[in-house]
């Protein structure tokens, strides 16, 4: 009985598929923002410290992870 439950699989609902696409897009935007932050700061002659980059990751990555955990439920 346990093996039947563990081996069971189901198709994703349309909402789950849409959420997967949305999270992939947000992750892509997050990566683009992080990569382009340094060139924009250099162009504006504004120094950005390593602490600023670390705080960006600390603040934004848990948001993405939280959204991923919602998708898995």
């Amino acid at each position: 009985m346990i093996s039947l439950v563990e081996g069971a699989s189901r198709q994703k609902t349309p909402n789950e598929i849409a959420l997967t696409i949305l999270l992939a897009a947000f992750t892509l935007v997050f990566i683009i923002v992080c990569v382009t932050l340094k060139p924009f700061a250099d162009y504006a002659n504004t120094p950005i410290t390593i602490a600023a980059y670390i705080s960006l990751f600390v603040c934004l990555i848990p948001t993405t992870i939280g959204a991923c955990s919602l998708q898995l439920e």
Side-chain angles (χ1 to χ4, degrees):
M1 189 69 149
I2 293 174
S3 64
L4 286 174
V5 172
E6 288 177 349
S9 62
R10 63 177 182 85
Q11 292 182 342
K12 287 187 172 184
T13 64
N15 286 342
E16 290 173 330
I17 294 169
L19 184 60
T20 301
I21 294 169
L22 182 69
L23 288 175
F26 282 162
T27 303
L28 183 63
V29 168
F30 173 70
I31 290 170
I32 290 170
V33 166
C34 290
V35 169
T36 59
L37 190 62
K38 176 76 171 138
F40 279 122
D42 290 343
Y43 178 76
N45 292 326
T46 304
I48 296 182
T49 62
I50 298 296
Y53 285 117
I54 292 172
S55 65
L56 179 70
F57 281 111
V58 167
C59 291
L60 294 179
I61 285 180
T63 307
T64 305
I65 293 171
C68 287
S69 69
L70 285 176
Q71 179 188 4
L72 295 175
E73 289 181 355

